[in-house]
Amino acid sequence: MILALLLGWQFTVAEFVGGPIMIVLLALLFRLFLRERLVAKAREQADKGIAGSMEGHAAMDMSLNGRKLLSRDGFTAVAHVFVMEWAAILRDLVIGLLIAGAVAAWVPDSFWQGFFLADHPVLSAIWGPIVGPVVAVLSFVCSIGNVPLAAVLWTGGISFGGVVAFVFADLMIVPILTIYRKYYGTRMALFVLGTFFAATVGAGYLVELLFGVTGLTPTDRSARVVEAGISWNYTTWLNIVFLVIGLVLVVRFFRTGGRDMLKMMGGAPDAGGHTDHHHMG
């Protein structure tokens, strides 16, 4: 939804098309280059059971578990899912918006146009998918937080395939590489970095080619990075309605054990993460 809002439907379709392409490329690269000795070392490291970021959150059971959606317990389950999903992405989203705003305000378009070779369409199409992941790694932004920055880069002149590669490259930013190293060891982390980079670049090229052949590559570079102002219309009233609903869910969350759930987000899954967190109240 954020891709569609900020960049347009073509980029949303490109992510759905490029995702399977990247998976296939990764599978081929792993089949060709991954050796059993490296796998054994990675398993040895993984068996140490070191807890990673958000592992406690991933293990939490926040399903309805047979409860009716409109019941008291069903409402509690909805509140828990709502707040915990926001808690999982909020840091990345806020950081992404801050970085995108800083880049848009302080880096002139002329710099990006020169950096992305915008005046040379062929060279830009070749250069974009290579440099896009590099910018992603240096920006430290993952999850949906990189979409606002992708909008800034697209406005600045990066190629269509470069944007696709940039968004996919959230799998290999420095914080996530640190997680790979913790789980699987340094050598496997470097292997993952190399193969993910190659697959990301390859997916960017193939999406650029497919959309170019079909005539679906967007030409409008006026991405919606910020709104020009505030106006009273139907979206304003919808925002107010859903802000009230969100506030009600947040209050319900904290009144039914939500504070303890937040504390367990980054812990090990056996530290209470599998416990049913729906409390009566």
Side-chain angles (χ1 to χ4, degrees):
M1 291 177 63
I2 293 180
L3 270 170
L5 287 171
L6 295 184
L7 289 165
W9 66 268
Q10 294 98 326
F11 288 92
T12 308
V13 174
E15 292 303 304
F16 282 104
V17 172
I21 292 174
M22 187 173 177
I23 291 171
V24 171
L25 292 176
L26 275 174
L28 291 174
L29 290 169
F30 272 55
R31 177 65 63 90
L32 290 172
F33 299 108
L34 184 58
R35 298 293 178 260
E36 186 59 36
R37 177 188 295 181
L38 185 56
V39 173
K41 286 287 187 182
R43 286 175 176 164
E44 180 181 339
Q45 176 68 19
D47 288 341
K48 294 179 180 179
I50 302 175
S53 177
M54 302 299 296
E55 193 165 341
H57 174 263
M60 289 180 184
D61 180 10
M62 293 181 286
S63 61
L64 286 174
N65 289 328
R67 300 171 175 88
K68 293 182 179 180
L69 181 61
L70 298 181
S71 67
R72 180 183 292 270
D73 287 349
F75 179 53
T76 300
V78 172
H80 286 182
V81 173
F82 175 77
V83 176
M84 291 302 292
E85 292 301 318
W86 268 108
I89 66 171
L90 187 59
R91 179 182 60 185
D92 293 329
L93 183 59
V94 171
I95 294 175
L97 289 170
L98 288 174
I99 293 177
V103 170
W106 296 335
V107 180
D109 287 343
S110 58
F111 170 82
W112 291 121
Q113 289 168 1
F115 183 69
F116 294 131
L117 307 177
D119 294 332
H120 307 278
V122 176
L123 292 178
S124 177
I126 296 173
W127 177 240
I130 295 175
V131 75
V134 175
V135 176
V137 172
L138 296 177
S139 69
F140 280 70
V141 182
C142 64
S143 188
I144 61 172
N146 61 1
V147 177
L149 183 54
V152 173
L153 300 182
W154 173 245
T155 303
I158 193 173
S159 67
F160 181 68
V163 174
V164 173
F166 170 82
V167 174
F168 282 146
D170 69 346
L171 296 170
M172 54 187 184
I173 64 170
V174 173
I176 294 182
L177 290 175
T178 301
I179 296 173
Y180 295 155
R181 184 186 60 80
K182 182 187 293 184
Y183 276 166
Y184 307 121
T186 301
R187 289 184 61 191
M188 178 58 87
L190 292 174
F191 178 84
V192 169
L193 171 61
T195 52
F196 274 30
F197 182 84
T200 300
V201 173
Y205 283 142
L206 290 174
V207 169
E208 179 93 48
L209 179 62
L210 288 173
F211 276 62
V213 170
T214 56
L216 293 177
T217 304
T219 56
D220 183 11
R221 290 188 174 271
S222 57
R224 297 179 60 187
V225 179
V226 295
E227 292 286 347
I230 299 175
S231 59
W232 287 94
N233 52 34
Y234 75 96
T235 60
T236 307
W237 291 109
L238 286 174
N239 287 339
I240 293 173
V241 170
F242 284 104
L243 281 172
V244 172
I245 294 174
L247 179 61
V248 171
L249 291 172
V250 170
V251 171
R252 181 66 176 179
F253 173 80
F254 281 104
R255 294 178 65 178
T256 54
R259 195 179 304 276
D260 292 334
M261 293 176 69
L262 289 174
K263 291 179 180 178
M264 289 187 289
M265 281 185 67
D270 57 353
H274 287 288
T275 304
D276 184 359
H277 289 284
H278 303 310
H279 299 281
M280 297 290 290

